């Protein structure tokens, strides 16, 4: 099952965030394969025209792989422990999902 992180905003190539993210992606891709997960792919979008949450939502929708199961990362959502999250990933994988996309909105959140 391929995992996609679709996020509003861009990390700079020489930023500390980019370094940490790259390390996590490399570790995930190396260790998750035997579990039937991966690769982990990144899709960054940026609203250069200042259209707000609606424009960001449109950009995120276009970044999603066709047929992907979508998980919106939102502060109002459910909080899962690491074991609960791992069990949920395994369930989605075992249900035959081919693509799982985590979407992360901009500073104002994600449009409904």
């Amino acid at each position: 099952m391929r995992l996609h992180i679709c996020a509003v905003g861009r990390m700079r190539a020489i930023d500390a965030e980019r370094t940490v993210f790259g390390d996590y992606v490399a570790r995930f891709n190396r260790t998750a394969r035997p579990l039937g997960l991966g690769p982990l792919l990144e899709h960054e979008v940026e609203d250069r025209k200042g259209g707000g949450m609606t424009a960001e939502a449109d950009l995120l929708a276009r970044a999603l792989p066709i047929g992907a199961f979508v998980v919106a990362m939102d502060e109002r959502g459910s909080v899962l422990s690491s074991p609960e999250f791992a069990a949920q990933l395994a369930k989605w994988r075992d249900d035959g999902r081919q693509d799982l996309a985590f979407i992360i909105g901009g500073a104002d959140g994600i449009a409904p």
Side-chain angles (χ1 to χ4, degrees), residues 8-11 44-52 55-56 59:
V8 172
R10 301 213 185 266
M11 288 186 272
E44 296 176 323
V45 300
E46 189 171 19
D47 175 26
R48 296 179 187 263
K49 296 181 181 178
E56 291 172 353
L59 292 169

Side-chain angles (χ1 to χ4, degrees), residues 5 20-21 40 79 83 97-98:
I5 297 179
V20 170
F21 183 76
L40 175 62
V79 176
R97 305 265 181 211
Q98 292 185 18

Side-chain angles (χ1 to χ4, degrees), residues 27-48:
R27 286 196 283 165
F28 177 86
N29 287 335
R30 190 173 47 249
T31 60
R33 284 271 188 221
L35 302 173
L37 300 173
L40 175 62
L41 306 163
E42 166 192 4
H43 310 272
E44 296 176 323
V45 300
E46 189 171 19
D47 175 26
R48 296 179 187 263

Side-chain angles (χ1 to χ4, degrees), residues 90-101:
K91 181 179 182 324
W92 286 325
R93 179 203 59 210
D94 295 346
D95 286 346
R97 305 265 181 211
Q98 292 185 18
D99 289 284
L100 175 63

